Amino acid sequence: MRYRDIGDLKVSAVGLGAMPLSIEGRPDEARALATVHAALDAGVTLLDTADSYHLPGQEPGHNELLLARALAAYGGDTDGVLLATKGGRGRPGDGSWTTTGTPRHLRSAAEASLKRLGVEAIGLYQLHRPDPAVPFEESVGALRDLLDEGKIRLAGLSNVTADQILRARAVLGDRLVSVQNRYSPDVRDSEPELRLCAELGLAFLPWSPLGGISRSSLDGPSRQSTGARHRAFHELARERGVSPQQVCLAWLLSLSPTVVPIPGASRPQTIQDSAGAAELVLTREELARLTPSARAR
């Protein structure tokens, strides 16, 4: 496993996005725990969760509690594992995703996550999404206060613009360490944010990084496969004797030394395969074949 930096910490170059273990279509607990353990066995040390990863209106914090149980039941060393969670979103019973970014809510959410994870301080706490009804600096200020109080060790943002990254940096300084936006062969809207993170030395954590290669947990059942539009990934995978998903993650890792993909998984075999991308180094010629494909719309 190769490693990359998030703040002053070293984490595996490929993390685990744990959301599929707790939302609709989730596996039973035995398989969910086996998936997390397989990630740890493969050298994955970044586990990404959120308080809103649960069924609509049911079992708030399910994913955080699941990860806490998985770590407690793991037979190996977990001291190097970074638990990253998020606050500011909700899942009421109607199936929608709400956004609440008031300082009061974020403080309460962080304290609840702290208890569910069973840690002295949350390793990385991220604003899940800016709330348009709340001044952005007020939401970021809540992260600053949580840092000052020692309830979180590192702070990050999710689903933000380049301007918001700079505004958050003005509040948090070098205690802002990461940005988690959607980015994949199929969705490249966060290109400016990826470039800015590379310039500032912030970790960029692409969520749903396999879009266009695999279906995301957030993709509806009617979404058509876009694999044909990214044929080069599949062709190169056959040539290298690996999965298209590994090629996709290796391509993402090549974009910047600050990129740390967090592919989702609900089976042990899936995360084991994804973790292998950390050791897959693509040549300049291979990357040239993939780049036009990745930019296709």
Side-chain angles (χ1 to χ4, degrees), residues 1 3 12 14-18 21 31-48 67 70-71 74 81 263 265 267-276:
M1 175 61 69
Y3 293 85
S12 54
V14 175
L16 170 65
L21 302 176
R31 197 175 92 189
L33 294 176
T35 300
V36 178
H37 291 169
L40 298 173
D41 288 342
V44 172
T45 62
L46 172 62
L47 306 179
D48 181 79
L67 290 186
L71 290 172
Y74 185 63
V81 173
R267 296 182 299 127
Q269 301 92 322
T270 305
I271 188 55
Q272 288 171 335
D273 181 72
S274 291

Side-chain angles (χ1 to χ4, degrees), residues 159-181:
N159 302 301
V160 289
T161 65
D163 176 66
Q164 288 168 331
I165 294 171
L166 294 174
R167 289 163 60 190
R169 189 174 170 85
V171 175
L172 297 171
D174 60 8
R175 296 191 293 179
L176 174 65
V177 300
S178 66
V179 171
Q180 184 179 142
N181 279 14

Side-chain angles (χ1 to χ4, degrees), residues 64-209:
E64 294 174 325
L65 290 167
L66 176 69
L67 290 186
R69 289 195 295 273
L71 290 172
Y74 185 63
D77 182 17
T78 60
D79 288 345
V81 173
L82 175 61
L83 280 172
T85 192
K86 298 179 286 294
R89 303 216 73 184
R91 295 208 74 193
D94 63 3
S96 64
W97 290 79
T98 59
T99 303
T100 308
T102 63
R104 180 177 180 179
H105 174 81
L106 292 173
R107 170 179 292 278
S108 175
E111 290 173 348
S113 293
L114 192 63
K115 292 179 181 178
R116 285 190 290 263
L117 293 171
V119 293
E120 294 182 2
I122 296 171
L124 172 61
Y125 194 69
Q126 304 155 96
L127 176 65
H128 204 154
R129 180 181 290 275
D131 184 346
V134 177
F136 182 65
E137 280 76 8
E138 290 187 12
S139 297
V140 177
L143 301 185
R144 178 198 57 215
D145 294 344
L146 291 167
L147 284 163
D148 290 343
E149 295 166 17
K151 293 180 178 179
I152 67 176
R153 300 189 191 280
L154 301 169
L157 308 169
S158 185
N159 302 301
V160 289
T161 65
D163 176 66
Q164 288 168 331
I165 294 171
L166 294 174
R167 289 163 60 190
R169 189 174 170 85
V171 175
L172 297 171
D174 60 8
R175 296 191 293 179
L176 174 65
V177 300
S178 66
V179 171
Q180 184 179 142
N181 279 14
R182 189 170 194 171
Y183 193 91
S184 68
D186 213 35
V187 180
R188 294 170 57 93
D189 296 342
S190 285
E191 187 85 40
E193 290 72 34
L194 188 156
R195 290 198 303 268
L196 179 60
C197 285
E199 293 171 10
L200 299 177
L202 302 177
F204 184 85
L205 316 180
W207 63 265
S208 195

Side-chain angles (χ1 to χ4, degrees), residues 209-297:
L210 300 175
I213 309 300
S214 294
R215 188 183 302 276
S216 163
S217 297
L218 294 180
D219 290 333
S222 63
R223 190 175 190 272
Q224 297 298 310
S225 171
T226 56
R229 289 168 47 202
H230 305 296
R231 190 179 307 278
F233 287 88
H234 297 265
E235 293 173 347
L236 183 55
R238 285 195 296 271
E239 294 169 15
R240 295 291 295 265
V242 298
S243 69
Q245 290 78 13
Q246 269 199 26
V247 172
C248 178
L249 295 171
W251 166 73
L252 284 165
L253 288 168
S254 77
L255 298 179
S256 164
T258 67
V259 169
V260 183
I262 47 173
S266 59
R267 296 182 299 127
Q269 301 92 322
T270 305
I271 188 55
Q272 288 171 335
D273 181 72
S274 291
E279 298 298 328
L280 179 62
V281 179
L282 302 176
T283 67
R284 183 177 301 178
E285 292 75 18
E286 289 170 334
L287 291 171
R289 289 169 57 186
L290 297 176
T291 300
S293 172
R295 288 178 176 165
R297 293 287 176 174

